[in-house]
Amino acid sequence: MPMASLLLLLLLVLLIIPLSVLLALRLLVRPRTINIPIRGRHVFISGGSSGIGLSLAHQAASAGASRVTILARSVAKLEDARDSIRRATGADISAFSADVRDFDAVKKAVDAAGPVDVLICNHGVFAAQDFETQDLEVAKFMVDVNLMGTLNLIKAALPTMRRSRPQRGPGSIAIMSSQAGQVGLHGLAAYSASKFGLRGLGEALQQELIEYGIHVSLIFPPDTETPGLVEEKKRRPEVTSILVGYSSAMQADDVARKTLNGIKSGTFTIPCNLDGLMLAIATAGLSPQRSFLIAFVEVILAGLMRLVGLCYLWTWYNLIERWHAKQEQSQLKWNV
Ligand SMILES: NC(=O)C1=CN([C@@H]2O[C@H](COP(=O)(O)OP(=O)(O)OC[C@H]3O[C@@H](n4cnc5c(N)ncnc54)[C@H](OP(=O)(O)O)[C@@H]3O)[C@@H](O)[C@H]2O)C=CC1
Ligand SMILES: CCCCCCCCCCCCCCCC(=O)[C@@H](N)CO
């Protein structure tokens, strides 16, 4: 066969295979794409008095949400947040003080706030320390707030969210995870446990709620400049900061923007930076993917991302080995 025909055949094969995969994915991806507006909707944000949650409340108000409700424990922080949002956007928001670990208090606040269209379970606490040293009460606190608190909030809001559909249009339950909810790192054991659980919750909930027009999103930020991070960094082990530093840190406003854009398109996995996109492809698993184009990228890059992940692990375990050796050396010097 002449070279020209061989090249043509090769070109056809190289074109036909990807195109046929693309077409198959166009038909295959479930659930289908959806548009969830923020304008004219009731957006309920837990942890909305600080950091990422406060940015979310500002942006939801600026986007024309008919109601923005924030929930947190500290009344003073809630009042400051409400004033800052009113000054910036003119929007009057509702604020409720409740601890997400207390289902009855959360239920009372959610019922008082009225039917929710977009629920953003953003609250969270984090303390980095190697698990053996970490006080078990601190570990339990993170699981109680980050995981159980999210179950409480969704349990409280879900009945009214479901009953008020479809007349109120598509609903969204967005859960603030972390890149530490996609990969476990030295010093983040209990925190990762509290965030990994949110993925199983989200995947199962999406299957249970799709028929009611309620769409689930999980957001996976890297280190984000917030008051919570300032506090965490005061005591975070050096090795944890080095590992976490492999994903570029972000501003709260940028994470909030990524979050709201992902919610509006019903995206299940919302990565926040390029490292997060690679992490999302490497950990895609059986999470829903509504975009056939992103599904195509996931299919094509799955193997490569696993290789990149193995390179990260090679680097991290060498780093951890060197870090322990350095610790032992400085301990020896100290003892001498
Ligand atoms: N900052 C970061 O580096 C990253 C953060 N995340 C996640 O983003 C979310 C927000 O974090 P960030 O903005 O940094 O945190 P902040 O500490 O700045 O804000 C946390 C918010 O949650 C509220 N909150 C904490 N505990 C409870 C509780 N028991 N009941 C009700 N509300 C509570 C706080 O209010 P109050 O204390 O008054 O209750 C506050 O409004 C968390 O889920 C966190 O895990 C994910 C990746 C990176
Ligand atoms: C396959 C390729 C992978 C590429 C990227 C891998 C980078 C992973 C870094 C993980 C960073 C974890 C940030 C946690 C932030 C957080 O939640 C804390 N502030 C709370 O302690």
Side-chain angles (χ1 to χ4, degrees):
M1 183 188 282
M3 182 54 83
S5 334
L6 205 61
L7 283 175
L8 188 65
L9 183 68
L10 189 65
L11 195 65
L12 274 176
V13 167
L14 286 177
L15 265 177
I16 288 173
I17 292 176
L19 282 176
S20 42
V21 170
L22 210 51
L23 190 67
L25 288 170
R26 183 88 180 74
L27 304 170
L28 200 62
V29 288
R30 296 296 302 274
R32 303 276 187 241
T33 54
I34 180 88
N35 172 38
I36 302 173
I38 298 291
R39 178 170 297 283
R41 317 297 298 292
H42 180 194
V43 181
F44 187 111
I45 304 162
S46 66
S49 65
S50 170
I52 296 170
L54 180 57
S55 293
L56 283 165
H58 271 276
Q59 290 180 26
S62 305
S66 55
R67 281 197 78 181
V68 174
T69 301
I70 57 175
L71 176 140
R73 292 166 300 179
S74 157
V75 174
K77 279 170 38 177
L78 283 164
E79 283 168 355
D80 289 348
R82 183 160 56 183
D83 294 346
S84 79
I85 294 165
R86 189 185 293 128
R87 277 196 305 276
T89 66
D92 200 7
I93 69 160
S94 313
F96 292 92
S97 168
D99 187 322
V100 290
R101 292 173 293 175
D102 178 348
F103 175 75
D104 293 336
V106 170
K107 182 78 176 125
K108 198 162 155 235
V110 166
D111 290 347
V116 177
D117 298 312
V118 177
L119 175 68
I120 307 181
C121 308
N122 162 77
H123 64 274
V125 289
F126 35 98
Q129 197 172 9
D130 61 284
F131 186 63
E132 187 181 2
T133 319
Q134 187 165 58
D135 188 314
L136 196 57
E137 277 314 302
V138 172
K140 186 176 180 304
F141 177 59
M142 285 191 278
V143 174
D144 284 351
V145 173
N146 299 349
L147 182 56
M148 203 56 226
T150 300
L151 289 166
N152 283 341
L153 181 54
I154 293 171
K155 189 76 174 169
L158 191 47
T160 315
M161 282 187 84
R162 188 171 61 71
R163 278 197 301 271
S164 53
R165 304 210 127 67
Q167 56 277 24
R168 289 186 70 95
S172 167
I173 295 177
I175 303 171
M176 191 59 69
S177 181
S178 158
Q179 286 180 2
Q182 294 171 299
V183 57
L185 295 176
H186 194 300
L188 296 178
Y191 178 69
S192 276
S194 77
K195 290 295 188 180
F196 266 74
L198 298 175
R199 175 162 174 175
L201 169 68
E203 289 182 359
L205 270 183
Q206 183 59 93
Q207 292 189 8
E208 292 178 12
L209 302 178
I210 191 71
E211 66 170 288
Y212 305 117
I214 297 175
H215 306 274
V216 177
S217 295
L218 274 101
I219 306 96
F220 298 96
D223 254 4
T224 307
E225 300 305 335
T226 67
L229 183 65
V230 169
E231 271 313 298
E232 184 205 27
K233 282 183 171 177
K234 288 176 184 169
R235 282 174 292 281
R236 185 158 79 177
E238 180 198 3
V239 67
T240 308
S241 291
I242 296 168
L243 293 169
V244 162
Y246 276 79
S247 181
S248 39
M250 291 180 70
Q251 296 300 315
D253 283 345
D254 296 331
V255 170
R257 196 167 302 110
K258 291 277 185 184
T259 300
L260 290 178
N261 287 339
I263 288 170
K264 285 190 276 189
S265 54
T267 304
F268 184 84
T269 300
I270 303 174
C272 296
N273 62 7
L274 181 62
D275 307 304
L277 178 60
M278 293 199 295
L279 201 46
I281 294 171
T283 60
L286 270 74
S287 285
Q289 179 49 262
R290 296 171 187 265
S291 155
F292 73 98
L293 288 171
I294 302 285
F296 181 70
V297 169
E298 287 172 350
V299 167
I300 299 297
L301 294 184
L304 178 62
M305 282 302 110
R306 178 57 178 158
L307 178 62
V308 171
L310 291 170
C311 295
Y312 270 83
L313 290 171
W314 180 83
T315 308
W316 289 343
Y317 277 94
N318 286 335
L319 185 150
I320 289 167
E321 197 176 332
R322 286 198 307 276
W323 182 76
H324 277 298
K326 198 177 87 180
Q327 292 297 99
E328 275 149 28
Q329 254 178 0
S330 56
Q331 195 61 36
L332 275 174
K333 278 187 198 142
W334 182 254
N335 293 344
V336 166

